[in-house]
Amino acid sequence: MAKFSVSWCFSLLQIFGFLAIGSSAREEIGIYELKQGNLSVKLTNYGAHIISLVVPDKHGKLADVVLGYDTIKEYKNDSSSFGATVGRVGNRISGAQFTLNGTLYKLIANDGKNTLHGGPKGFSKVVWTVKKYRPEGQTPHVVFAYHSFDGEQGFPGDLRAIVVYKLLGDNKMSITMKAKALNKATPVNIINHAYWNLGGHDSGDILSEEIQIFGSHYTPVDAQLIPTGKVVTVKGTPYDFLRPRTVGRMFSKLAAGYDINYALDGSDEQKLKKAAIVHDKKSGRVMEISTNQPGVQFYTSNTLYQKGKGGFTYKPHAALCLETQGFPDSVNNPNFPSQIVNPGESYKHYMLFKFSNL
């Protein structure tokens, strides 16, 4: 009887995510498809990745508009974070360290001397537990959960995280990321890293796509792409997308392309605000992104050269990323919005994607 009780309690701990390492290590890797009308998305619990997202163009022709791979093995070897959920802290942390409540935390550097997307084995490189899965119906959705242990990649405290992908009708998809600090204060900035090409993942570059970004300020960076700590206006710079214009219009004034964080207009994190609108004129596809986060990273896949789905080779500027987020290196810039979650507190990152045609 005692043996049965111990086993039963152990199983409950696994189900509810209280085992930091074991539950993730033993979870099977699968692919989960959500379908509603003409919109379908495929996901995997390996790194909580978006594998594909298929939507119609203005003629009703369907195409997959996110870059990715054909096999899970390729995602395991991926260094581009195609469609990944990155964390515990997405984007860069300077010097791979930060001080919190008087304690210096040293992380694992994986981007020169800095930490990028949570370290070499961040949230995109672990197996998430599948808590719920409803492939069709009124609100198709899947819930992935992960228990990040104290000291994982150098970050303090146990953190319980979930990611919910949900289809909402009218070609809309939401992504909700939640986390709760269990025993220590910790920074949290969980980000979706999808690479978008509204012409189709294999249609070429995105330089002619039109984009509008609802941020009148941005955070300048140094040569290592670490923010300087300043927040400056976009007016009179190549970063001004307050009105729609093509992605490549100002490329001649940039070193390689865009890789910059915008401070979104509207400071209330409890309210949803527009982050960006992208329009591919050839296909007619439009994507509108809204979020509750203060920033969005605009990245034009400047150094990309990777064989992807169907053997197609993705080259520089084959896609754009619009990663809604807290500001990069916030832990080392006290004037940036805080990403610190104290024990018992919760973190929430909400994204809404609306797809349409013009």
Side-chain angles (χ1 to χ4, degrees):
M1 184 66 180
K3 183 177 180 181
F4 170 80
S5 298
V6 170
S7 176
W8 181 74
C9 290
F10 185 85
S11 297
L12 280 180
L13 287 172
Q14 284 186 301
I15 290 170
F16 288 101
F18 291 106
L19 294 183
I21 305 173
S23 58
S24 176
R26 283 189 283 273
E27 184 75 19
E28 290 187 8
I29 297 173
I31 295 175
Y32 303 87
E33 185 174 18
L34 307 178
K35 296 180 71 174
Q36 189 175 61
N38 289 322
L39 175 63
S40 65
V41 57
K42 288 183 180 179
L43 311 142
T44 177
N45 60 323
Y46 179 77
H49 285 75
I50 298 177
I51 293 177
S52 68
L53 191 145
V54 175
V55 287
D57 68 6
K58 60 186 176 183
H59 302 296
K61 182 179 179 181
L62 298 173
D64 180 1
V65 296
V66 296
L67 274 58
Y69 301 107
D70 292 321
T71 66
I72 297 298
K73 181 180 179 181
E74 290 171 295
Y75 282 100
K76 288 183 176 181
N77 296 326
D78 173 48
S79 60
S80 300
S81 300
F82 283 158
T85 294
V86 296
R88 171 180 312 196
V89 176
N91 218 307
R92 290 174 173 84
I93 295 178
S94 62
Q97 63 181 28
F98 63 92
T99 299
L100 179 58
N101 295 334
T103 300
L104 176 65
Y105 293 98
K106 293 188 177 182
L107 310 175
I108 303 174
N110 63 329
D111 183 53
K113 297 179 180 179
N114 309 308
T115 296
L116 178 63
H117 296 330
K121 195 176 180 183
F123 285 5
S124 65
K125 295 295 183 182
V126 299
V127 183
W128 293 59
T129 299
V130 182
K131 291 292 187 180
K132 295 181 182 178
Y133 176 45
R134 179 178 294 174
E136 297 180 321
Q138 193 169 12
T139 55
H141 62 276
V142 63
V143 180
F144 298 133
Y146 180 65
H147 188 127
S148 179
F149 58 87
D150 183 16
E152 186 174 17
Q153 301 296 290
F155 290 100
D158 290 281
L159 186 78
R160 192 182 303 152
I162 66 166
V163 178
V164 183
Y165 291 95
K166 184 182 292 185
L167 302 187
L168 303 173
D170 298 323
N171 285 338
K172 290 186 290 187
M173 177 183 72
S174 68
I175 305 175
T176 304
M177 298 171 169
K178 295 182 180 180
K180 188 171 185 177
L182 301 184
N183 43 38
K184 292 181 183 178
T186 183
V188 182
N189 188 32
I190 310 174
I191 299 171
N192 178 266
H193 206 294
Y195 285 69
W196 303 96
N197 186 323
L198 296 186
H201 79 96
D202 55 357
S203 64
D205 67 57
I206 44 78
L207 300 182
S208 63
E209 291 192 356
E210 193 174 74
I211 187 169
Q212 182 177 14
I213 299 176
F214 296 87
S216 54
H217 293 78
Y218 72 102
T219 54
V221 294
D222 63 18
Q224 298 179 60
L225 299 177
I226 298 295
T228 63
K230 296 179 179 180
V231 181
V232 302
T233 181
V234 299
K235 291 183 178 179
T237 76
Y239 301 104
D240 187 352
F241 288 95
L242 289 171
R243 293 184 177 181
R245 60 180 176 82
T246 57
V247 172
R249 182 179 174 185
M250 303 290 280
F251 256 44
S252 61
K253 297 186 178 182
L254 302 168
Y258 293 95
D259 194 358
I260 200 75
N261 171 66
Y262 286 81
L264 293 173
D265 297 333
S267 58
D268 189 345
E269 289 192 21
Q270 301 303 316
K271 294 183 179 180
L272 203 60
K273 52 185 172 286
K274 285 184 182 179
I277 298 174
V278 185
H279 178 210
D280 180 72
K281 290 186 177 180
K282 185 176 180 180
S283 69
R285 292 187 185 93
V286 178
M287 178 177 69
E288 178 183 311
I289 304 175
S290 299
T291 186
N292 68 332
Q293 291 298 293
V296 62
Q297 187 84 10
F298 178 39
Y299 175 53
T300 49
S301 52
N302 306 320
T303 59
L304 182 63
Y305 198 92
Q306 185 67 50
K307 185 174 287 187
K309 299 173 190 174
F312 186 81
T313 299
Y314 302 131
K315 298 179 181 180
H317 317 307
L320 56 85
C321 299
L322 288 163
E323 307 155 56
T324 59
Q325 60 180 2
F327 291 4
D329 202 30
S330 174
V331 288
N332 292 309
N333 284 283
N335 58 313
F336 285 177
S338 176
Q339 297 171 4
I340 304 304
V341 180
N342 292 304
E345 295 179 348
S346 296
Y347 161 93
K348 183 179 179 181
H349 180 180
Y350 184 78
M351 293 153 273
L352 178 64
F353 299 82
K354 297 180 182 179
F355 299 93
S356 58
N357 283 286
L358 283 178

